[in-house]
């Protein structure tokens, strides 16, 4: 009798372990918020990366392929190849698909502000007038959002339109079309897909001055009766920056406006930041040397643990405010695929994500899971 009981218990244990290994972050966090990932095109094809994406995540963002320069490289030419594939993968796996991003001053196609398409640089340096630019923004948004109507769930409509002091960035969008381009962009997106959620997305949105600027921006859109569903805090963070206090203040400030908060591009660099070093010589700080690239051959246990602790603190805060948070998206699938290896200094070895270069979960992964187990 005893041996039967032991046998049964053993079987149950094996079964529990097997079931557990089937679980991904998205399952542990199913009562919290979406867990997303940003991906390059090659991870959307069958392979171990796609298997990992399907297991762990329930929201998908294209890392680069829905940006203006890639999806709409010429005035009358769109390239939907990668975006179509991303949307297909997302929809066939019940994922919350994000369109990133419609209006952004960076990674923009060179023709957008040019008056003519003569090919003569002397003429082509002239800028378009305001109405032409607004019409171009309209064509861009209605074509793309219209194509993915009912398939893309939420759009980063405008990306990075604020300066650090909270004022509007002097991009050509602002200079040519005036501050109305932001409201116009949201209206065009809403008109093209009335069901889609619409977001404002930016970095440093937990810094007090910039946060105030974003609060003003969201309020001004709402006052005009324009749909905006959420604020996307990019969250390219570090081991000691920003403080949990400022993150929490930001979650509160945005949610008090009646919009959802998402952390849309989370990664935590373990490398020294050239902007936070006490060196006077900027060029030295930006060089790839031993000081700036201390772990080319692997991450010491102590730093692995510090990263796990940092992720744990951050997710504990997110979880406390799960009613206000819609999504947390990681900017990259694994350490080897992170843009942080090349920015702000080229050729470094960073470890900012939850999966290592062999696609295995790191200590930080288990720290995040343990919070909700
Ligand atoms: C910004 C953009 C992203 C991406 C990252 C860096 O945060 O919003 O699309 O380009 O920079 O990779």
């Amino acid at each position: 009798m005893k041996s039967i009981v032991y046998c049964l218990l053993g079987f149950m244990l094996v079964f529990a372990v097997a079931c557990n290994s089937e679980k991904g972050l998205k399952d542990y966090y199913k009562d919290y918020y979406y867990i997303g990932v940003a991906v390059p095109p090659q991870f959307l094809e069958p392979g171990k990366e796609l298997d990992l994406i399907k297991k762990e995540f329930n929201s998908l963002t294209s890392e680069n392929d829905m940006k203006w320069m890639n999806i709409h490289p010429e005035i009358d030419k769109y390239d939907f190849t990668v975006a179509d594939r991303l949307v297909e993968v997302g929809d066939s796996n019940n994922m919350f698909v994000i369109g990133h991003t419609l209006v952004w001053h960076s990674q923009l196609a060179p023709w957008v502000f040019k008056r003519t398409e003569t090919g003569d640089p002397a003429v082509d340096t002239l800028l378009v007038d305001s109405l032409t630019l607004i019409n171009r923004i309209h064509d861009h948004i209605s074509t793309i959002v219209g194509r993915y109507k009912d398939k893309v769930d939420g759009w980063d409509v405008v990306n990075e339109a604020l300066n650090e002091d909270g004022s509007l960035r002097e991009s050509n969008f602002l200079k040519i079309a005036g501050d109305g381009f932001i409201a116009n962009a949201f209206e065009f997106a809403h008109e093209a897909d009335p069901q889609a959620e619409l977001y404002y997305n930016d970095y440093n949105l937990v810094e007090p001055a910039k946060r105030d600027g974003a609060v003003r921006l969201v309020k001004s859109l709402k006052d005009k009766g324009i749909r905006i569903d959420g604020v996307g805090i990019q969250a390219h963070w570090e081991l000691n920056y920003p403080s949990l206090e400022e993150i929490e203040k930001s979650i509160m400030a945005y949610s008090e406006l009646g919009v959802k908060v998402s952390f849309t591009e989370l990664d935590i660099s373990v490398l020294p930041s050239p902007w936070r070093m006490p060196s006077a010589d900027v060029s030295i700080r930006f060089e790839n040397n031993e000081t700036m690239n201390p772990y080319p051959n692997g991450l010491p246990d102590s730093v692995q643990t510090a990263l796990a602790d940092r992720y744990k603190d951050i997710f504990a805060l997110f979880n406390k405010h799960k009613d206000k948070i819609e999504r947390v998206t990681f900017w990259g699938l694994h350490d080897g695929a992170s843009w942080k290896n090349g920015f702000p200094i080229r050729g470094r070895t960073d470890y900012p994500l939850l999966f290592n270069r062999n696609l295995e979960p790191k200590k930080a992964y288990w720290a995040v899971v343990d919070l909700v187990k």
Side-chain angles (χ1 to χ4, degrees):
M1 183 60 187
K2 224 174 178 182
S3 62
I4 294 180
V5 171
Y6 282 139
C7 199
L8 212 63
L9 282 175
F11 176 76
M12 282 163 71
L13 189 71
V14 170
F15 185 71
V17 169
C19 285
N20 238 5
S21 69
E22 291 308 306
K23 273 177 113 176
L25 276 178
K26 64 173 183 352
D27 307 302
Y28 292 111
Y29 273 82
K30 69 177 185 337
D31 298 327
Y32 288 76
Y33 31 75
Y34 291 114
I35 302 283
V37 63
V39 292
Q42 61 273 25
F43 292 179
L44 296 168
E45 299 311 319
K48 57 188 191 315
E49 289 87 1
L50 184 56
D51 292 343
L52 186 67
I53 291 167
K54 287 194 215 164
K55 178 181 170 203
E56 301 287 343
F57 301 95
N58 54 10
S59 177
L60 207 52
T61 304
S62 168
E63 199 169 339
N64 285 301
D65 293 282
M66 290 169 93
K67 293 173 180 172
W68 199 314
M69 65 180 276
N70 293 323
I71 204 167
H72 192 180
E74 287 164 37
I75 194 159
D76 46 12
K77 184 177 156 213
Y78 286 86
D79 182 351
F80 296 115
T81 324
V82 182
D84 282 358
R85 174 71 187 146
L86 180 110
V87 169
E88 180 194 326
V89 169
D91 282 351
S92 58
N93 290 286
N94 280 323
M95 292 168 137
F96 192 79
V97 179
I98 301 299
H100 174 80
T101 173
L102 294 169
V103 177
W104 185 26
H105 65 276
S106 183
Q107 293 188 260
L108 189 65
W111 60 268
V112 175
F113 302 123
K114 286 183 183 170
R115 186 175 292 185
T116 61
E117 288 298 303
T118 62
D120 175 353
V123 181
D124 278 354
T125 52
L126 292 176
L127 295 179
V128 284
D129 58 88
S130 164
L131 188 61
T132 308
L133 181 58
I134 293 292
N135 282 334
R136 286 181 180 181
I137 295 174
H138 182 260
D139 287 348
H140 180 76
I141 292 180
S142 61
T143 305
I144 299 169
V145 177
R147 182 179 182 92
Y148 301 116
K149 185 169 184 285
D150 302 326
K151 292 184 176 152
V152 165
D153 300 282
W155 287 95
D156 288 338
V157 179
V158 175
N159 198 31
E160 301 182 355
L162 291 170
N163 291 317
E164 298 312 287
D165 67 0
S167 60
L168 288 179
R169 180 192 287 274
E170 295 80 21
S171 67
N172 273 339
F173 285 116
L174 183 74
K175 286 190 207 150
I176 299 170
D179 60 6
F181 84 90
I182 298 178
N184 286 148
F186 278 84
E187 284 172 327
F188 299 156
H190 183 54
E191 170 193 279
D193 185 355
Q195 302 301 324
E197 294 198 343
L198 308 179
Y199 316 121
Y200 176 71
N201 193 58
D202 209 330
Y203 60 88
N204 286 351
L205 283 188
V206 302
E207 286 288 337
K210 200 160 181 179
R211 176 168 67 222
D212 290 348
V215 165
R216 286 194 296 275
L217 179 61
V218 172
K219 268 194 189 145
S220 79
L221 293 173
K222 285 195 156 265
D223 288 349
K224 294 188 188 99
I226 289 166
R227 175 169 184 169
I228 172 165
D229 297 273
V231 168
I233 298 172
Q234 288 185 3
H236 298 295
W237 290 342
E238 295 159 29
L239 286 178
N240 298 307
Y241 172 85
S243 70
L244 294 174
E245 197 190 345
E246 293 304 336
I247 301 172
E248 183 160 38
K249 279 189 197 160
S250 309
I251 296 172
M252 300 311 294
Y254 299 127
S255 60
E256 276 161 17
L257 301 168
V259 293
K260 299 173 195 172
V261 179
S262 287
F263 295 87
T264 55
E265 305 184 16
L266 180 60
D267 45 33
I268 299 176
S269 176
V270 299
L271 301 183
S273 161
W275 292 295
R276 270 174 269 285
M277 298 227 353
S279 162
D281 187 338
V282 173
S283 65
I284 289 178
R285 285 190 277 147
F286 278 89
E287 261 173 33
N288 185 352
N289 52 38
E290 256 173 53
T291 312
M292 300 312 283
N293 188 25
Y295 319 118
N297 303 315
L299 198 59
D301 278 350
S302 59
V303 189
Q304 196 76 263
T305 302
L307 181 69
D309 289 346
R310 176 71 166 148
Y311 263 113
K312 183 175 165 199
D313 291 346
I314 287 173
F315 272 79
L317 179 65
F318 291 169
N319 294 351
K320 177 177 165 196
H321 294 290
K322 66 172 187 172
D323 56 320
K324 307 172 189 73
I325 295 177
E326 178 175 45
R327 171 172 55 97
V328 176
T329 286
F330 291 87
W331 202 252
L333 178 62
H334 64 84
D335 287 343
S338 168
W339 75 300
K340 293 303 298 178
N341 296 302
F343 184 89
I345 299 172
R346 279 170 202 261
R348 295 199 294 177
T349 308
D350 207 343
Y351 303 81
L353 298 166
L354 298 189
F355 295 93
N356 68 20
R357 287 168 165 76
N358 298 321
L359 305 189
E360 293 149 356
K362 294 157 61 179
K363 197 168 181 182
Y365 176 96
W366 296 113
V368 169
V369 167
D370 280 347
L371 288 169
V372 294
K373 235 176 164 177

